[in-house]
């Protein structure tokens, strides 16, 4: 435990420089360094004068702790006054709590809460949490209202220390960038030039260009982090290396930014005109086809700024290229020594190190691979052995030479591996999205010792996946080399088939086509890149297997990417010869579902009808019931009530007591029939049975839809209390699932309920937020009257004013207000 840190009740002070990146551009690197040093001295003097202890410093930001709230406030005021005459303006936040102390410093929720409070302030402003404000008797405080902090439920009332006027509190955009395992070294000159380029030219597309191994990805992440303060709409990282088809670029971006569909208009609407920085990484293998949709996106979203890393430019209008050279000599030596000393502490800087870096063209990836070998070989030995491989490259120039240097370095690292290590290295390349240990063992016969050895040599890396699982992966340049070695080997076909079979096993384990158990769609998303790789392989080598795998991904297609699923089925069916009738029936049914969700209703009905005929020939009652259920929905859409009734009743007859989910789904359809017949009580009872059955079985996604249906039925019955209760239950589940479309519909329904109770303010705010979100839906004009009811024609000025305020809310902020997580429409979200 750090003995110098205050314990018990502690007040935290968080500081950060406002507009540090812009200031760097305006002052220049040398003048900014002088100003930064003076700022640090001023803050440290103020901390010490009032009993504060410096806990941590990161970049331009300080984290200090004080035994009293008054001491922290005095230090903040003193530092702010001292800095007022200089070029640097500092934002500050104070929060009081009772954190735990460890050897590394403080831990606990209070640390995160204090940092979030500080992030809200403007330069020169000191913002206080209510816990700190309550302890400051006699200090001049200004009430700033209720605000939500990211990652915290509910709103809190914030105060300002001092009477100075400031604009409304900041709502900075979220920063969703990878956190590399090692610190960023060098590139100060290139970063300064890149920042200046952004401020002077403000390009819509900035492409960081260079051969493999120059550190484009790492540089892009650092640049995006520096520019994040300018992006009030957020900063998002999008890895494109796992993709093999340009058509997947926009769906991948849509998923990362939370858009409702992969259409350009939907992605642009999600950004809502705010300045948003999107870093698309490793683009070269998708060019030139990917350039056009990215250019269309940049054009459709005025606030979007694309940062791209690629071995070649996009060559689109508005693009500015930034050619990233190798590291400067001093930077290269520093990088090599830091990485080498991580595995061998006695590595010294000498002529051999300088010569080795020069022979490696100062390429970051080549330096890291060589540094990993210092565990066994001194730099002199490395230079001698690696030099023989590099001598073969003479005669090439510039980028070609640098690329050849990197390939030779990777090849040299590969040749130093023993036979087992080489075998595992090339086999691991089959995983496009990295692999869990279990998958590496199943597909590659990996053992811990060999995998650990590849990790030690920086040929394989480790990261945490989206489910919190440990995942082993390769940098794309290294994976390209390993993939070539795999394709040249005798076991290429075996490894690729084992990988595809492993993906089918994981799909079945996640119940992605099994209605008897809750589908784990998140598990499918965690393996999405590997599933695509398996399907790509099957399209070329085993069409029947590909159809089997595609059909096993039913719930993943439906939830995340119906368009992609439809395209996969179309290609596989076109290439496949005769396939077993049972498989064909399943394929046509799942294919029909993806086509239906893509809006091609007639085609979907045709496919489903064909699958029904096959199931009937096979005597497959489950298949018949499932297909009839889907065709009943088509009949409902056409308002063919008698056909809908016949299909639903027969599906239920087959499913009752045998196929639980289909029985549950049929109850909902019977409820819709009762609703059409005017029997709202029966409709409500049947829908409630469907909801409860889903709840008991763990089918949360289905239950949320049923709760929404109960909301709408309650509105029709005039039971506003039941409408509110069911709507809030649905909305909580939709929030947990990140289901924007259903959340939009539920927010609109809750707006109707509020209007019915005479709560004009709540009704207007929620309806305004729903209308803004719905603008991206192509068929909203057909849905608007049903979703809004009497709100569509409401002309009350108070309602319309509230609608205007609601239109300023992002959907999930409106959801938080509806759920009571923020106190009214004035509560703001802080990403």
């Amino acid at each position: 435990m750090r003995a110098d840190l205050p314990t018990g009740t502690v007040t935290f002070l968080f500081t950060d420089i406002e507009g540090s990146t812009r200031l760097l551009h305006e002052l220049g690197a040398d003048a900014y360094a002088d100003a930064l040093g003076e700022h640090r001295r001023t803050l440290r003097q103020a901390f010490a004068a009032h009993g504060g202890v410096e806990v941590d410093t990161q970049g331009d930001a300080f984290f200090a702790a004080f035994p009293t709230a008054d001491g922290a406030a005095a230090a903040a005021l003193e530092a702010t006054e001292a800095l007022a005459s200089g070029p640097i303006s500092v934002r500050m936040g104070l929060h009081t709590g009772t954190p735990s102390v460890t050897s590394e410093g403080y831990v606990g929720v209070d640390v995160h809460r204090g940092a979030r409070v500080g992030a809200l302030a403007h330069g020169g402003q000191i913002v206080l949490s209510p816990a700190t404000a309550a302890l400051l008797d006699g200090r001049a405080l200004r009430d700033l209202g209720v605000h939500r902090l990211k990652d915290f439920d509910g709103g809190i009332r914030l105060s300002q220390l001092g009477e100075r006027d400031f604009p409304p509190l900041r709502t900075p955009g979220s920063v969703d960038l990878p956190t590399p395992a090692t610190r960023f070294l060098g590139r100060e000159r290139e970063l300064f030039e890149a920042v200046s380029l952004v401020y002077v030219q403000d390009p819509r597309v900035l492409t960081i260009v260079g051969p493999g191994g120059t550190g484009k990805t790492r540089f892009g992440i650092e640049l995006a982090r520096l520019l994040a303060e300018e992006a009030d709409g957020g900063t998002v990282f999008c890895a494109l290396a796992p993709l093999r088809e340009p058509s997947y670029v926009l769906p991948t971006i849509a998923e990362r930014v939370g858009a409702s569909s992969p259409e350009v208009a939907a992605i642009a609407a999600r950004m809502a005109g705010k300045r948003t920085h999107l870093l698309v990484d490793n683009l070269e293998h998708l060019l030139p086809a990917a350039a056009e949709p990215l250019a269309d996106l940049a054009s459709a979203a005025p606030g979007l700024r694309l940062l791209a890393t690629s071995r070649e430019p996009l060559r689109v209008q508005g693009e500015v290229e930034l050619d990233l050279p190798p590291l400067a000599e001093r930077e290269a030596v520093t990088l090599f020594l830091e990485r080498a000393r991580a595995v061998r502490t006695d590595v010294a800087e000498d002529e051999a190190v300088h010569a080795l870096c020069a022979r490696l063209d100062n390429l970051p990836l080549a330096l890291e691979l060589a540094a990993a070998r210092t565990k066994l070989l001194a730099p002199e030995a490395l230079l001698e052995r690696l030099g023989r491989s590099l001598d073969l490259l003479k005669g090439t120039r510039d980028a070609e030479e640098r690329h050849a240097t990197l390939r030779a370095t990777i090849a040299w690292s590969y040749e130093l591996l023993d036979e087992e290590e080489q075998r595992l290295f090339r086999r691991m390349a089959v995983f496009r999205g990295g692999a869990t240990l279990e998958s590496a063992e199943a597909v590659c016969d990996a053992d811990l010792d060999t995998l650990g050895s590849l990790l030690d040599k920086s040929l394989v890396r480790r990261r945490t996946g989206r489910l919190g699982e440990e995942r082993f992966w390769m940098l794309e340049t290294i994976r390209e080399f390993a993939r070539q070695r795999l394709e040249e080997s005798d076991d290429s076909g075996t490894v690729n088939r084992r990988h595809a079979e492993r993906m089918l096993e994981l799909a079945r384990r996640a119940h992605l086509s099994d209605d008897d158990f809750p589908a784990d769609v998140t598990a499918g998303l965690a393996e999405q890149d590997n599933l695509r790789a398996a399907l790509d392989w099957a399209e070329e080598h085993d069409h029947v297997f590909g159809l089997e795998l595609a059909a096993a991904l039913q719930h993943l297609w439906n939830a995340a990417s119906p368009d992609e699923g439809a395209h996969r089925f179309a290609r596989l069916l076109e290439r496949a010869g005769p396939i077993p009738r049972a498989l064909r029936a399943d394929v046509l049914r799942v294919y029909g579902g993806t086509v239906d969700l893509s809006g091609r209703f007639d085609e979907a009905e045709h496919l489903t009808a064909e699958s029904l005929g096959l199931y009937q020939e096979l005597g497959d009652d489950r298949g018949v019931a499932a297909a009839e259920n889907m065709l009943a929905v088509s009949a409902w859409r056409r308002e063919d009530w008698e056909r809908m009734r016949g299909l639903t009743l027969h599906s239920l007859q087959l499913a009752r007591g045998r196929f639980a989910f289909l029985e549950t789904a049929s109850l909902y359809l019977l409820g819709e029939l009762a609703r059409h017949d005017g029997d709202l009580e029966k409709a409500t009872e049947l829908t409630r049975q469907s909801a409860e059955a889903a709840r008991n079985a763990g089918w949360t996604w289905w239950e949320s839809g049923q709760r929404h249906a109960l909301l709408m039925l309650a509105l029709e019955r005039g039971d506003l209390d039941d409408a509110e209760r069911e709507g809030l239950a649905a909305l909580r589940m939709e929030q947990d699932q990140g289901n924007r479309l259903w959340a939009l519909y539920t927010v609109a329904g809750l707006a109707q309920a509020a209007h019915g109770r005479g709560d004009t303010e709540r009704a207007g705010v929620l309806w305004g937020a729903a209308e803004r979100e719905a603008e991206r839906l192509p068929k909203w004009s057909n849905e608007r009257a049903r979703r809004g009811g009497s709100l569509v024609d409401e002309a009350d000025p108070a309602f319309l004013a509230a609608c205007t305020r609601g239109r300023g809310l992002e959907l999930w902020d409106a959801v938080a207000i509806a759920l009571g997580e923020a106190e009214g429409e004035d509560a703001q979200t802080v990403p």
Side-chain angles (χ1 to χ4, degrees):
M1 186 176 84
R2 277 186 57 176
D4 61 328
L5 298 181
T7 57
T9 300
V10 178
T11 298
F12 293 144
L13 169 58
F14 288 88
T15 79
D16 197 10
I17 296 177
E18 180 177 59
S20 58
T21 309
R22 186 174 293 277
L23 193 62
L24 168 64
H25 165 66
E26 293 172 352
L27 296 180
D30 293 339
Y32 179 76
D34 293 340
L36 187 62
E38 181 59 30
H39 143 268
R40 289 170 175 162
R41 284 190 294 273
T42 299
L43 288 178
R44 285 170 172 148
Q45 288 173 3
F47 298 161
H50 297 279
V53 177
E54 185 179 320
V55 181
D56 193 16
T57 305
Q58 292 186 0
D60 306 330
F62 277 90
F63 170 21
F66 294 77
T68 67
D70 198 66
L77 288 169
E78 179 180 312
T80 299
E81 183 177 351
L83 292 168
S85 60
I88 288 181
S89 185
V90 175
R91 65 173 66 94
M92 300 188 187
L94 277 69
H95 172 63
T96 303
T98 54
S100 300
V101 184
T102 70
S103 59
E104 300 297 324
Y106 292 107
V107 296
V109 69
D110 288 311
V111 177
H112 301 288
R113 191 183 298 274
R116 299 295 191 216
V117 170
L120 287 171
H122 295 279
Q125 186 178 31
I126 306 167
V127 177
L128 316 175
S129 74
T132 302
L135 298 174
L136 295 179
D137 292 336
R139 297 274 185 185
L141 303 181
R142 174 179 287 188
D143 185 0
L144 298 177
V146 175
H147 299 263
R148 282 182 64 230
L149 308 180
K150 182 189 176 185
D151 300 329
F152 289 92
D153 293 333
I156 64 170
R157 186 168 295 280
L158 300 176
S159 302
Q160 175 188 302
L161 181 59
E163 295 291 347
R164 183 179 163 190
D165 292 330
F166 290 93
L169 289 183
R170 302 169 67 246
T171 53
S174 60
V175 179
D176 186 5
L177 294 170
T179 303
T182 54
R183 69 189 182 101
F184 185 77
L185 292 171
R187 299 289 196 194
E188 285 86 358
R189 178 178 57 82
E190 290 89 347
L191 281 171
F192 175 72
E193 291 175 355
V195 166
S196 297
L197 188 154
V198 169
Y199 282 134
V200 173
Q201 299 187 34
D202 193 23
R204 301 293 290 274
V205 181
L206 175 62
T207 305
I208 301 164
V209 180
T214 49
K216 298 185 296 295
T217 297
R218 192 67 183 273
F219 183 85
I221 291 171
E222 193 65 20
L223 178 60
R225 200 181 307 281
L226 280 173
L227 296 171
E229 189 169 317
E230 306 296 321
D232 58 343
T235 301
V236 181
F237 179 85
C238 190
L240 301 184
L243 304 185
R244 285 298 173 269
E245 293 193 29
S247 61
Y248 296 157
V249 170
L250 288 183
T252 301
I253 292 174
E255 179 188 352
R256 296 292 293 126
V257 303
S260 61
S261 82
E263 301 300 320
V264 166
I267 300 173
R270 177 71 178 92
M271 296 171 186
K274 293 183 177 180
R275 185 174 178 110
T276 303
H277 293 172
L278 176 64
L279 174 55
V280 288
D281 184 48
N282 278 313
L283 187 58
E284 60 276 346
H285 62 294
L286 301 170
L287 295 175
E292 183 177 351
L294 287 172
D296 291 344
L297 179 58
S299 177
L304 175 65
R305 296 298 181 269
L306 275 176
L307 304 176
T309 70
S310 176
R311 295 180 193 174
E312 60 179 289
L314 279 68
R315 297 184 176 87
V316 298
Q317 187 174 8
E319 179 186 31
V320 172
E321 299 173 31
L322 180 67
D323 190 2
L324 191 65
L327 293 170
E329 180 185 0
R330 180 68 258 167
E331 295 172 339
V333 170
T334 300
L335 175 63
F336 176 84
L337 289 173
E338 175 157 310
R339 300 297 189 260
R341 287 167 180 168
V343 296
R344 182 173 177 171
T345 58
D346 63 347
V347 177
E349 181 177 348
D350 55 22
E351 290 184 6
V353 169
H354 281 261
L356 179 60
C357 292
R359 292 302 306 273
L360 292 173
D361 289 335
N362 296 335
L363 288 169
L365 180 54
L367 293 169
E368 294 202 14
L369 291 173
R373 282 293 179 177
T374 57
K375 190 172 186 178
L376 297 175
L377 297 171
E380 295 85 353
L382 278 172
L383 181 60
E384 180 183 353
R385 293 193 178 203
L386 182 55
R388 290 195 292 268
S389 297
L390 295 174
D391 285 339
L392 300 176
L393 305 175
K394 291 179 179 178
T396 57
R397 289 185 175 84
D398 300 330
E400 291 181 6
E401 180 178 354
R402 296 201 297 270
H403 185 66
T405 298
L406 178 62
R407 286 191 57 80
T409 306
I410 298 172
W412 170 78
S413 297
Y414 176 73
E415 294 301 327
L416 288 178
L417 300 176
D418 65 30
E419 186 176 343
E420 286 300 314
E421 290 170 335
Q422 288 184 352
R423 182 181 298 111
L424 180 57
F425 171 74
R426 61 178 181 260
R427 287 180 174 182
M428 286 292 291
V430 78
F431 290 100
R432 191 181 292 175
T436 62
L437 177 60
E438 183 183 6
S439 289
E441 290 171 336
V443 175
C444 306
D445 296 323
D447 65 80
L448 286 174
D449 290 341
T450 307
L451 188 57
S453 178
L454 295 180
L455 277 169
D456 289 342
K457 296 173 176 65
S458 296
L459 292 169
V460 170
R461 304 197 176 203
R462 180 167 42 199
R463 67 166 181 248
T464 301
R466 68 187 296 161
L467 303 179
E469 80 281 15
E470 191 172 66
R471 193 167 282 266
F472 300 91
W473 62 289
M474 292 175 167
L475 290 171
E476 189 60 19
T477 305
I478 293 176
R479 183 175 173 271
E480 285 178 2
F481 178 91
R483 183 75 192 181
Q484 290 173 359
R485 292 298 179 272
L486 175 63
E487 295 305 321
E488 294 166 359
S489 69
D490 294 336
D491 58 357
S492 173
T494 300
V495 171
N496 278 286
R497 179 169 292 281
R498 289 172 71 174
H499 173 265
E501 291 172 347
R502 172 66 176 172
M503 291 304 108
L504 179 59
E505 176 190 350
L506 293 178
R508 288 171 172 166
R509 187 185 298 180
H511 306 294
L512 295 179
S513 63
D514 184 352
D515 290 332
D516 289 337
F517 299 92
D520 189 355
V521 174
T522 56
L525 290 172
E527 295 290 353
Q528 190 169 39
D529 292 327
N530 283 319
L531 289 166
R532 285 170 170 162
L535 287 165
D536 288 345
W537 173 83
E539 283 185 21
E540 298 298 326
H541 297 91
D542 192 336
H543 306 131
V544 172
F545 177 87
L547 288 167
E548 187 178 0
L549 176 57
L553 300 176
Q554 174 185 351
H555 297 309
L556 181 62
W557 299 134
N558 292 348
S561 47
D563 287 334
E564 179 183 344
H567 292 317
R568 290 283 189 184
F569 280 116
R571 288 200 300 267
L572 284 163
L573 284 169
E574 181 181 354
R575 299 179 184 187
I579 59 175
R581 285 197 303 162
L583 175 58
R584 182 174 181 82
D586 288 340
V587 164
L588 293 175
R589 176 177 56 81
V590 180
Y591 183 16
T594 63
V595 169
D596 184 87
L597 288 169
S598 299
R600 290 141 52 192
F601 303 134
D602 291 343
E603 183 182 350
E605 191 168 356
H606 173 77
L607 290 165
T608 308
E610 186 178 347
S611 77
L612 175 60
L614 288 170
Y615 284 130
Q616 289 170 334
E617 293 175 12
L618 293 164
D620 184 340
D621 286 351
R622 180 192 290 272
V624 169
E628 287 183 335
N629 208 284
M630 294 171 64
L631 290 170
V633 173
S634 297
W636 169 75
R637 191 180 286 122
R638 295 178 183 278
E639 298 186 357
D640 187 345
W641 305 109
E642 290 310 308
R643 175 169 167 76
M644 177 185 175
R645 193 183 308 276
L647 288 165
T648 301
L649 290 174
H650 190 254
S651 176
L652 180 59
Q653 178 184 344
L654 292 174
R656 195 182 299 279
R658 302 169 68 195
F659 316 128
F661 176 76
L662 294 172
E663 183 176 356
T664 300
S666 295
L667 290 173
Y668 165 69
L669 291 172
L670 289 175
E672 287 300 302
L673 285 166
R675 184 182 194 172
H676 168 70
D677 294 339
D679 191 342
L680 293 179
E681 294 300 327
K682 183 178 180 181
T684 300
E685 177 58 28
L686 287 165
T687 306
R688 199 175 301 281
Q689 288 178 27
S690 180
E692 292 305 316
R695 180 181 182 84
N696 293 335
W699 296 316
T700 308
W701 62 275
W702 181 262
E703 183 191 356
S704 66
Q706 300 309 287
R707 297 295 176 192
H708 170 79
L710 288 168
L711 155 66
M712 302 306 290
L713 285 165
L715 288 174
E716 288 190 51
R717 299 195 318 271
D719 188 340
L720 299 179
D721 289 340
D722 192 41
E724 183 82 6
R725 181 168 50 252
E726 296 293 353
L728 292 176
L731 199 57
R732 289 189 189 94
M733 287 181 267
E734 290 153 1
Q735 183 186 51
D736 291 342
Q737 298 163 24
N739 190 332
R740 293 185 72 90
L741 180 63
W742 288 10
L744 156 64
Y745 292 155
T746 301
V747 166
L750 288 169
Q752 287 195 62
H755 189 254
R757 290 195 309 273
D759 191 341
T760 301
E761 189 73 13
R762 177 178 171 85
V765 167
L766 296 182
W767 179 243
E771 285 265 75
R772 170 189 162 174
E773 176 73 11
E775 288 172 353
R776 59 183 170 70
L777 299 180
K779 298 183 179 179
W780 177 243
S781 58
N782 299 332
E783 290 278 343
R784 189 168 182 263
R786 184 161 71 93
R787 301 296 176 182
S790 60
L791 300 178
V792 172
D793 299 317
E794 180 58 70
D796 181 357
F799 172 80
L800 295 177
C803 280
T804 300
R805 289 192 290 277
R807 280 185 169 273
L809 292 172
E810 205 276 333
L811 177 66
W812 295 122
D813 298 336
V815 167
I817 289 173
L819 293 174
E821 294 177 0
E823 299 180 14
E825 73 281 2
D826 291 330
Q828 301 174 23
T829 296
V830 181

